[in-house]
Amino acid sequence: MRIDQSHRPWAVATVSILLVALLAYIPYQLFYPGGPAGNTWPGLCYGVLGYGMMLFAGLLGARKRVPLWRIGRAQVWMRGHLWLGALSLPILLLHAGFRARGPLTLVLAILLTVVVLSGITGALLQHFIPKRMTQVVHLETIYEQIPHVREMLFEEAGAIVDSLCAVPANLPAVASHSTPAAVAVAEDSPSDLTEVQRANLLHVYRSGMVPFLRDPEGNRSSPLSSRAKASAWFDALRRQSPPSVHEALSDLESIFEEERQLIIQRKLYLLLHGWLLVHVPLSVTLLVLGGIHAFVAIHY
Amino acid sequence: MKTLELTIDDKPVTVEEGTSVFDAARLHGIAIPVLCHAQNERPIGVCRVCTVDCGDKVLQASCVRPAENGMKVFTASDKVKKHRRMILELLLSDHPSPCARQRVSGDCELETQAAAEGIVAPRFSKRVSPRGQDDSSLVISVDHEACILCDRCIRGCDEIRQNNVLGRGGKGYNAGIAFDLNRPMGNSSCVSCGECMVSCPTGALTNKSVVRTVLPGGDPVGVEELKTLPFFQKVSGTFLDLNKNAVIRRHFKAGEVICREGDYGSTAFYILEGEVEVFLSSMSSKKETAKEAPSLFEMFAHVFSPKKKPGSPAQNGGNIPIDSVVDLSLDNPVARLGQGDIFGEMTCMNLYPRSATVRAKTDCVMLEMLRNVLDVIQRNKTLRAEIEKNYRKRALEDHLRTVSVFSSLSPEFIENLSRRVELVRYSRGEVLCRQGETARYFFLVRIGFVKMVEEHAGGDLVLAYQGKGGHFGEIGLILRGTYAFTVTALDNVEVVRIDAEAFQEMLAGFPDIAFNLKKVATERELHNQRHSAAVSAMSLEKFLGQGLMEANSLLVIDLEKCTRCDQCVRACSDAHEGVTRLVREGLRFDKYLVPTSCRHCRDPLCMIGCPVGAIRRRNSLETVIEDWCVGCGLCARNCPFGNITMHAVPETGAPKAALAKRKATSCDLCQNLPEPSCVYACPHDAAKRVDPNDFFRDLISPSIDSGPFAAPDVPHGGRR
C-alpha cells in the first residue's frame, strides 16, 4: 500500500497512542514496586493492548478470505494492519519492560522484531515497486499468464521466421504453426531473402533467438537480454537483409522487448510479494506462541 | 388473345400468347424450381435455376422464355436436372449454410431446393474474400455472405415500392446489393418498409424483430388498428406485423407520471388522446451545494487566476432544452403537449436518460414504442414532413431562443426563417461538415451529440462536444468562408440547418445578433488557437481513442498503488458465483489501468439488437443482463471494449428442458450491495469506480464542457 497523505489520521493516532503509552510508562518505571514486568497490572495492560494489536494485524489475512463480508473496507483493515502492527512492537516492549525473562519471551521478542521489520520492508517495497513496475513494464500481463504469453511469443517468433524463410517444412527447430495467429502471420509476411540470407537467419534464429525464448531468465549473457545490445543485434541483421523484410524483423525485435519486460515484471513481482514468505509464517508463529505465552503466564 | 399450344413434360397445355414457359407450367400444375423470380416481380432470369429444355440449342431460363406454339418443354429431364443441380451447387458454394433464415425458420429457398436435389455439400470451394455483414439498420439485418444476387430485393424496392434505394454495387467477386451509393443500410435513405426483406429468398435480409419483448403494463395494438392511425398509416404492414410487441397502448389517469427525469428508458411516446405537462422536478428543489472552505493555496491561486463561475441557464438562454418538440421556459419550466405530439425521441434513439418528467394533465391514451418503430417512422418521408411541420410551428422559436445570441430575433423573422430551415438527421459517425469545405450552413443541434475536431497532420484534435442547444458554422460563415473544423455525429443526431443566404439575411437585419455571433466566432477561433497550442493532444487522443468519454462508470486501478494482489478479481468472482466479471488487464491511461469490466456506457451499443431485451437499464445507469438471456452473444460482439463475456451455465432442472447453455455476463456494479465488491475489497485503495470525465479532467485539460463551445449550462437528462 502506498503511504501517502491519506495515512495522516492513522499516523497521528499511532503516534498519540505511543506517546500516551510512553508517558504512562515513566511513572510505572520510576515508582512501581519491583520495576516494570509483564506480570504486573500495568504490564498486563500493555500486553493485552499489544497482543490485541497483533491479533488485529493478523486478522487481515482472514479478512481477505471473505472479501464480500461488509465488515469494513479492506483498505481500512490494511491501514490498521500497517500502523497497529508497527505499534505493537513498542507496546510489547513496554509490556516486557525491555527485558526477556525466559527462552519463550526471548523467542517472542526476536520473532516480533523480525515480523515488524519484514512488514516495514514489505510496506516500503509495496510503496515503491508498483510505481517502478508501471514505469518500466509497459507490456505488463497477469503474473500467472506469463508462461502462456511466453509460449505465444515463441510461436509468433517462429511463424515470422518461417514466413521469412518460406520453407516451413524444412524447419524442424522452428516453432510449430498450429495456432491460427501464427498461421496468419506466416501467410501474410513477405519472403524476399536469398538462400544465403535465409540460411543466415535460420542460424541466428536457432542459435540466438530460440535459446533466449525458451529460457529467457537463464540466458542473461545473450545479447537479446539487453535492449541496447538487442537493438544493435537486430540492426546488424537488418543490414544483411533486403528492406522488404525489415518490418518483420522489427516485429521480431518487439517480441524480444516484450520478453525482456516479462523478465522485469517477474523479478519485480517476486520482490513485491516474496517478503510475504518470511512475514506470513513468522506472523502466524508469533500469534500462536504469543497465545501460549499469554495462557501460560496467566494460568500459572 | 391468341392462344398457343405446347407440351410440357409430355402434357399438352394451352396458354395465351406472351405467357412465359414458367407461368405456362405453373398454370398447369407443373412446378419448376426458381430462386430469382417472384410472382409479384418482373422476371429477369439471373439465377438460371428454372432452366428447362425447350428443344433449343441451349437450355433456357423458363421465367424469361416465352412459350411458343408447338414447343416441347422438358422440366425434369436428366440433362435439365444435371444442369440445375450444378447451378444449385455453385450458388450454395457462395452461401453460408445454414444461413440466418434457415437457422431461424428453416425456409431458405436455396437451401431447401438444394436439399430437395440431394445436395449435402457443394463440391466447389467457398469464396476466399468475405463480403461481410451490415448491422447498421435497427430493423433489418443484412448478410451479404448469404446473398445470391437474385435481385428480388432490388425489384421489390425499386419497382414495387418505388423507393429506389437498392441497387447493385461492385464487380465480379465484389458484386453485391447496395443501399444508395453503397452506404450502410442504417445510414442510407432506406425507409425500412421491409419489402426487400420479404422478397429475399435467403437469409441475406432478415428481420430484427424484438421477439418476446413485451412492454409491461400496456394493451397490445393490432396491425389493422395501427394502420387506422394517421401516424402509422405509412408504415409498412409487414414491418408492423413482424414487430407486434414493439408498440403498445397505455392509459394514464390525470396526475399520473408517465416518465420521470433522469430515468433510463428505451421508448418514445405518441399522444393519442389527452394532454400532458412536461416539467423538471429538480428545478423546484434545486439548491446550491455547500462547498468546502477554500484552502490557503486555493485562495492564493484565486487572487492570481480568478475563475469565473459558469454561466447560469438564465445567462445562456431563456429555455431549457428537453427531449420533446418543445423546450421549457426557465421562468416557468412547464410545457404542455397534446394529441399528435411525440416525446422521448432522444431517450429512445440514443438510450439517454429522460430529460424531463412528463405527467398526465388529463386522462391520456398514448402509444409507447421501441426504437426500431420510431426509426421507421422517422425515416418515412410523409411522417418526417409532419414532424418537421410540427417542429417549425411549435419549437423552432423556442429552440433558437435557447441560444443566447438569438434571443433578440423578432417573431416576424423567425416566421420567415421557419420556412427556410430544414431538420436533418445524421447517424453515428456521419460527418455534418468538414474542415476546409466551403461553409454553406449554420447548424443548431436538436437531438444527440456531435464532436468537433480540428484535423492536423499529426492527428486530430478534439475541440469540443455539443449537445442540444449547441451551434456551429458561424466561424465559416462569418470569418473564414470555410468550416474551421470537422463535425461528426456521436450518436443519432438531428440538427436544424440554416442555409448561408438566410443566415446572412439574419446578420444584415439584426445588427446586434451579427455583433454577438461575430464575437462568438472570434472567441471560438482564439480558443481553437490556444487549445491547439496548449492541450496535450496525446492524452486527449488517447482518452478518446480508448472510448473513456463514453463511460458512465469506469473501473480504474491506480497502478502506482496496486500491488497486483488480485483481491479485486477474487471479490468479483466471489460476488458472482465464481464467475468473475473483471479481468485485471486492459489499456492504460496515464498511471491508471482500465481493466476489462463494464463501463456502463452512455450509449450502450451492447443493448442494440438483444433479441429478448435481456440486456437493459433499469431505472439507473447500470447496464444489467437479466436472467432470461438466451446466450446469443450479440451483446458481447457489440461491446467495443470486450467487457461482456459469455460463460457456460450448468444445465439444471429437467434433462429435456431447453435451457441456455451459455449466458452473457458483465459487471452490474454489485447492484445489491452498497459498493462494488472489487472496490470494497481492494486493500490498497487502488481500485475505484469513477466518472471518467470528472476523474481525468486534469489530465485531458480544458476540452470538455468548458470554453466558448460549452453548451448552455442546463440540466440534461438529470445527469451532467
Side-chain angles (χ1 to χ4, degrees):
Chain A
M1 174 173 241
R2 201 166 174 77
I3 314 289
D4 53 19
Q5 292 272 322
S6 63
H7 282 257
R8 189 180 290 172
W10 281 96
V12 170
T14 304
V15 172
S16 306
I17 295 170
L18 183 60
L19 282 177
V20 170
L22 285 173
L23 285 173
Y25 190 78
I26 295 168
Y28 173 47
Q29 164 78 36
L30 292 176
F31 306 116
Y32 202 86
N39 58 355
T40 61
W41 277 110
L44 273 178
C45 289
Y46 281 122
V48 169
L49 186 65
Y51 191 67
M53 287 174 181
M54 272 168 49
L55 266 181
F56 179 81
L59 281 173
L60 178 69
R63 169 70 185 85
K64 282 184 177 179
R65 294 191 179 278
V66 283
L68 294 187
W69 285 17
R70 300 280 149 161
I71 48 173
R73 295 164 64 90
Q75 54 155 306
V76 176
W77 282 75
M78 177 57 94
R79 283 167 207 263
H81 174 88
L82 285 175
W83 291 101
L84 298 182
L87 186 58
S88 65
L89 177 64
I91 297 289
L92 287 170
L93 286 177
L94 297 179
H95 156 71
F98 297 96
R99 277 195 298 265
R101 289 191 168 82
L104 182 59
T105 48
L106 182 63
V107 169
L108 280 171
I110 293 168
L111 272 179
L112 179 62
T113 310
V114 175
V115 165
V116 171
L117 287 178
S118 65
I120 290 170
T121 310
L124 288 172
L125 288 171
Q126 292 198 343
H127 181 83
F128 293 109
I129 288 182
K131 187 173 184 176
R132 176 82 184 138
M133 198 188 276
T134 307
Q135 285 167 345
V136 297
V137 188
H138 298 286
L139 301 168
E140 191 183 335
T141 187
I142 297 168
Y143 179 75
E144 289 77 10
Q145 293 284 320
I146 288 177
H148 176 64
V149 173
R150 282 193 166 146
E151 197 55 43
M152 284 171 62
L153 290 175
F154 181 65
E155 282 183 12
E156 201 181 322
I160 291 173
V161 173
D162 279 358
S163 70
L164 291 176
C165 297
V167 279
N170 300 332
L171 298 175
V174 177
S176 94
H177 293 169
S178 54
T179 62
V183 172
V185 171
E187 283 175 354
D188 292 346
S189 300
S191 176
D192 289 347
L193 297 176
T194 62
E195 280 301 317
V196 177
Q197 286 167 334
R198 274 182 198 158
N200 184 35
L201 178 62
L202 268 181
H203 174 69
V204 294
Y205 174 70
R206 286 172 183 161
S207 59
M209 298 184 200
V210 170
F212 182 75
L213 288 169
R214 274 289 174 219
D215 184 13
E217 322 252 351
N219 273 278
R220 295 298 171 85
S221 59
S222 166
L224 293 167
S225 64
S226 139
R227 181 182 291 170
K229 285 181 189 170
S231 179
W233 199 79
F234 273 99
D235 281 345
L237 210 55
R238 275 189 208 99
R239 280 196 293 276
Q240 295 164 17
S241 319
S244 59
V245 302
H246 286 187
E247 195 182 335
L249 288 175
S250 298
D251 289 345
L252 268 179
E253 194 175 355
S254 66
I255 286 175
F256 287 94
E257 171 60 23
E258 193 167 347
E259 272 290 1
R260 283 190 295 276
Q261 293 212 5
L262 291 180
I263 295 173
I264 300 170
Q265 185 191 342
R266 213 173 105 77
K267 200 165 72 181
L268 291 175
Y269 185 91
L270 291 177
L271 206 55
L272 195 56
H273 296 276
W275 62 273
L276 287 168
L277 293 173
V278 175
H279 185 72
V280 173
L282 289 187
S283 301
V284 175
T285 313
L286 177 65
L287 284 173
V288 172
L289 290 182
I292 293 170
H293 164 72
F295 177 77
V296 170
I298 293 166
H299 193 70
Y300 300 103
Chain B
M1 175 78 63
K2 191 180 167 187
T3 56
L4 307 169
E5 289 182 358
L6 63 156
T7 62
I8 301 178
D9 292 343
D10 297 327
K11 182 179 174 183
V13 298
T14 305
V15 292
E16 288 178 357
E17 189 179 24
T19 307
S20 68
V21 172
F22 180 89
D23 284 340
R26 181 177 58 82
L27 290 169
H28 292 85
I30 300 167
I32 301 175
V34 69
L35 286 173
C36 72
H37 180 43
Q39 292 302 307
N40 57 342
E41 291 179 357
R42 179 176 53 88
I44 54 171
V46 292
C47 74
R48 317 304 286 185
V49 171
C50 63
T51 288
V52 292
D53 186 355
C54 300
D56 298 331
K57 280 184 187 171
V58 292
L59 301 179
Q60 300 283 346
S62 61
C63 64
V64 287
R65 176 72 164 95
E68 289 174 9
N69 224 359
M71 187 183 252
K72 288 184 178 174
V73 180
F74 296 96
T75 67
S77 65
D78 289 345
K79 187 180 173 187
V80 168
K81 277 184 174 175
K82 187 181 164 194
H83 280 78
R84 187 175 294 144
R85 189 182 163 86
M86 168 69 85
I87 289 163
L88 287 171
E89 272 192 277
L90 284 167
L91 287 172
L92 206 57
S93 70
D94 198 20
H95 176 88
S97 184
C99 64
R101 184 164 164 181
Q102 187 68 11
R103 279 197 304 273
V104 174
S105 52
D107 63 344
C108 167
E109 290 179 30
L110 171 61
E111 291 182 57
T112 310
Q113 289 184 21
E117 290 290 336
I119 301 167
V120 180
R123 288 169 290 165
F124 312 106
S125 56
K126 296 267 178 189
R127 70 160 58 228
V128 285
S129 53
R131 289 182 289 175
Q133 281 87 20
D134 173 3
D135 218 26
S136 57
S137 165
L138 292 176
V139 181
I140 294 167
S141 176
V142 186
D143 183 1
H144 290 288
E145 297 289 310
C147 176
I148 56 169
L149 301 175
C150 67
D151 287 356
R152 268 163 62 168
C153 55
I154 296 174
R155 280 170 284 156
C157 180
D158 300 351
E159 294 172 15
I160 297 173
R161 292 284 180 172
Q162 299 190 340
N163 285 326
N164 298 310
V165 176
L166 264 167
R168 277 284 189 99
K171 288 179 178 176
Y173 280 121
N174 295 321
I177 56 167
F179 297 85
D180 291 339
L181 293 173
N182 207 11
R183 306 183 75 190
M185 187 182 191
N187 297 350
S188 71
S189 58
C190 167
V191 296
S192 301
C193 68
E195 188 62 40
C196 56
M197 185 176 66
V198 293
S199 303
C200 180
T202 68
L205 294 159
T206 48
N207 176 52
K208 286 184 176 176
S209 66
V210 192
V211 292
R212 288 171 58 187
T213 299
V214 180
L215 292 166
D219 308 324
V221 191
V223 178
E224 297 75 22
E225 195 182 343
L226 279 177
K227 294 293 278 180
T228 60
L229 300 170
F231 202 60
F232 288 88
Q233 267 171 5
K234 301 287 179 186
V235 179
S236 152
T238 312
F239 170 78
L240 290 174
D241 195 40
L242 288 164
N243 294 275
K244 277 176 190 157
N245 297 320
V247 184
I248 56 160
R249 184 191 291 104
R250 282 185 183 282
H251 298 266
F252 293 95
K253 293 224 164 76
E256 204 176 337
V257 171
I258 296 158
C259 61
R260 207 177 291 278
E261 68 186 84
D263 281 0
Y264 283 85
S266 52
T267 55
F269 294 87
Y270 175 76
I271 304 172
L272 281 176
E273 291 169 24
E275 197 177 45
V276 299
E277 57 182 9
V278 187
F279 61 95
L280 290 177
S281 51
S282 56
M283 292 294 285
S284 55
S285 60
K286 194 175 176 186
K287 289 191 172 55
E288 283 295 320
T289 309
K291 285 183 182 162
E292 213 176 337
S295 66
L296 196 63
F297 176 77
E298 283 169 336
M299 287 194 288
F300 184 72
H302 184 74
V303 172
F304 290 96
S305 173
K307 280 184 185 173
K308 283 180 189 169
K309 283 171 75 175
S312 67
Q315 286 167 320
N316 287 317
N319 284 22
I320 302 163
I322 54 164
D323 184 10
S324 164
V325 288
V326 295
D327 286 338
L328 299 182
S329 154
L330 199 73
D331 305 329
N332 180 25
V334 179
R336 299 255 169 91
L337 298 176
Q339 190 176 343
D341 281 333
I342 187 165
F343 61 91
E345 290 161 275
M346 193 153 94
T347 294
C348 183
M349 293 307 293
N350 294 329
L351 302 173
Y352 289 144
R354 301 273 182 208
S355 61
T357 300
V358 182
R359 187 165 53 200
K361 179 81 179 156
T362 62
D363 285 358
C364 292
V365 182
M366 49 188 76
L367 295 177
E368 186 176 3
M369 67 195 88
L370 289 172
R371 67 195 306 219
N372 52 348
V373 179
L374 184 66
D375 184 65
V376 168
I377 287 168
Q378 291 191 334
R379 282 166 179 279
N380 186 290
K381 286 165 190 155
T382 315
L383 296 173
R384 181 107 200 105
E386 198 175 315
I387 291 172
E388 273 195 38
K389 196 173 125 198
N390 274 349
Y391 174 77
R392 286 170 212 272
K393 199 169 82 185
R394 303 187 51 185
L396 178 65
E397 183 172 351
D398 289 347
H399 193 175
L400 281 172
R401 291 196 194 287
T402 56
V403 183
S404 55
V405 289
F406 294 137
S407 54
S408 60
L409 281 177
S410 69
E412 297 76 37
F413 183 80
I414 289 175
E415 171 66 23
N416 176 273
L417 191 65
S418 70
R419 288 193 291 273
R420 303 175 64 173
V421 301
E422 49 183 340
L423 273 182
V424 188
R425 287 182 86 207
Y426 295 90
S427 302
R428 171 192 276 263
E430 272 197 275
V431 174
L432 284 77
C433 63
R434 200 175 289 282
Q435 183 178 334
E437 276 181 0
T438 307
R440 291 164 54 209
Y441 299 105
F442 176 77
F443 298 86
L444 267 172
V445 182
R446 192 176 100 84
I447 291 177
F449 283 88
V450 296
K451 178 170 78 170
M452 301 157 86
V453 172
E454 199 173 61
E455 294 170 6
H456 293 271
D460 295 345
L461 177 66
V462 177
L463 296 169
Y465 297 91
Q466 297 257 343
K468 186 173 182 182
H471 59 93
F472 51 92
E474 68 286 322
I475 297 179
L477 289 168
I478 297 173
L479 299 180
R480 290 190 183 188
T482 56
Y483 290 119
F485 35 74
T486 299
V487 181
T488 314
L490 284 178
D491 41 35
N492 292 295
V493 168
E494 195 166 280
V495 294
V496 178
R497 218 164 61 170
I498 303 173
D499 67 51
E501 199 184 333
F503 186 80
Q504 295 302 345
E505 272 178 32
M506 180 170 71
L507 296 189
F510 298 88
D512 54 336
I513 289 177
F515 176 79
N516 286 337
L517 273 170
K518 195 165 182 179
K519 196 173 153 201
V520 168
T522 312
E523 271 177 18
R524 284 184 169 183
E525 186 82 323
L526 279 172
H527 175 82
N528 288 358
Q529 287 164 4
R530 277 200 306 273
H531 198 159
S532 299
V535 167
S536 157
M538 210 180 88
S539 290
L540 189 60
E541 285 304 302
K542 214 170 158 186
F543 182 75
L544 296 166
Q546 293 186 13
L548 302 181
M549 182 205 71
E550 293 276 333
N552 253 323
S553 170
L554 188 71
L555 179 65
V556 291
I557 296 178
D558 185 340
L559 288 172
E560 292 186 356
K561 289 182 175 176
C562 173
T563 65
R564 284 71 170 168
C565 68
D566 273 338
Q567 275 296 116
C568 48
V569 180
R570 209 163 293 140
C572 182
S573 171
D574 285 2
H576 301 102
E577 299 173 351
V579 180
T580 183
R581 296 165 183 205
L582 155 67
V583 179
R584 196 178 47 75
E585 218 172 24
L587 294 171
R588 282 185 187 182
F589 185 72
D590 195 58
K591 63 173 181 174
Y592 297 97
L593 173 74
V594 182
T596 307
S597 178
C598 180
R599 301 172 175 197
H600 303 274
C601 296
R602 291 172 207 278
D603 183 10
L605 296 175
C606 54
M607 286 187 195
I608 300 171
C610 177
V612 290
I615 184 162
R616 61 178 188 147
R617 277 184 169 135
R618 292 176 187 159
N619 288 328
S620 59
L621 62 87
E622 295 99 35
T623 305
V624 294
I625 300 176
E626 302 285 4
D627 288 344
W628 62 79
C629 165
V630 293
C632 68
L634 184 63
C635 53
R637 289 195 295 279
N638 280 349
C639 174
F641 310 110
N643 289 341
I644 298 179
T645 50
M646 305 302 297
H647 70 93
V649 178
E651 288 192 58
T652 53
K656 287 184 182 173
L659 295 173
K661 288 180 183 167
R662 293 192 317 157
K663 270 191 190 298
T665 48
S666 74
C667 170
D668 59 355
L669 295 176
C670 291
Q671 51 179 322
N672 298 326
L673 297 169
E675 192 176 11
S677 297
C678 51
V679 177
Y680 190 75
C682 175
H684 305 291
D685 194 21
K688 288 181 173 68
R689 271 275 170 194
V690 299
D691 177 343
N693 288 327
D694 288 340
F695 190 75
F696 293 122
R697 188 172 291 275
D698 291 342
L699 289 174
I700 55 178
S701 203
S703 62
I704 293 180
D705 292 345
S706 67
F709 289 98
D713 186 19
V714 290
H716 171 73
R719 306 270 190 282
R720 280 285 293 177

